[in-house]
């Protein structure tokens, strides 16, 4: 009798430890598409974006790509629910950039245009939880 109680307690502790290591146990995440464009094409000197490498963790990491990067630019990622989706692009030259964040490749969550030609542009949106 004492052995089965000890084994049962060990199993419960193991389950609790496993669950606490996972900050998003449901894995709820969003399929996000980042887009950066300019009417005339051109290149970016840098583009950075956020994604969630593990849909079961409540965090995003910043990724960065140094240029030259061709415009238009597009990246599909996964962002954990409740976390911020963000993209920032810096143009080479006098491009006037526009960025968008799309949900499932279709629904526009955010859109921004750089205030002036040559300025960077940033789009961001906290995903629904």
């Amino acid at each position: 009798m004492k052995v089965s109680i000890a084994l049962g307690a060990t199993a419960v502790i193991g389950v609790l430890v496993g669950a606490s290591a996972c900050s998003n146990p449901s894995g709820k995440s969003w399929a996000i598409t980042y887009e950066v464009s300019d009417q005339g094409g051109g290149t970016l000197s840098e583009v950075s974006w956020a994604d969630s490498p593990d849909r079961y963790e409540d965090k995003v990491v910043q990724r960065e790509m140094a240029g030259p990067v061709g415009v238009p630019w597009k990246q599909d990622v996964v962002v954990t629910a409740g976390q911020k989706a963000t993209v920032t692009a810096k143009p080479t030259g006098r491009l006037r950039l526009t960025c968008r964040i799309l949900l499932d490749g279709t629904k526009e969550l955010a859109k921004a245009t750089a205030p002036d030609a040559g300025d960077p542009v940033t789009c961001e949106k906290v995903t629904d939880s």
Side-chain angles (χ1 to χ4, degrees):
M1 194 65 136
K2 290 182 181 179
V3 172
S4 64
I5 293 171
L7 290 176
T10 302
V12 170
I13 291 171
V15 169
L16 291 175
V17 169
S20 68
C22 186
S23 59
N24 184 20
S26 71
K28 186 174 179 184
S29 300
W30 300 104
I32 297 292
T33 300
Y34 297 121
E35 294 180 348
V36 177
S37 61
D38 176 75
Q39 290 183 331
T43 60
L44 305 173
S45 64
E46 178 183 303
V47 62
S48 62
W49 65 95
D51 75 11
S52 297
D54 184 345
R55 68 184 311 140
Y56 296 99
E57 294 294 326
D58 279 338
K59 69 177 183 178
V60 295
V61 296
Q62 284 298 119
R63 311 279 186 196
E64 187 175 298
M65 183 182 298
V69 176
V71 177
W73 176 86
K74 181 177 173 179
Q75 182 71 39
D76 294 318
V77 301
V78 171
V79 175
T80 305
Q83 299 299 309
K84 187 188 296 185
T86 182
V87 61
T88 299
K90 297 176 184 174
T92 56
R94 304 285 303 155
L95 302 179
R96 187 154 189 213
L97 300 175
T98 297
C99 62
R100 296 192 324 151
I101 299 175
L102 304 172
L103 174 64
D104 295 329
T106 56
K107 182 181 178 189
E108 188 174 86
L109 298 179
K111 182 178 182 177
T113 300
D116 290 311
D119 286 350
V121 67
T122 298
C123 285
E124 56 185 38
K125 172 71 174 161
V126 175
T127 60
D128 292 339
S129 51

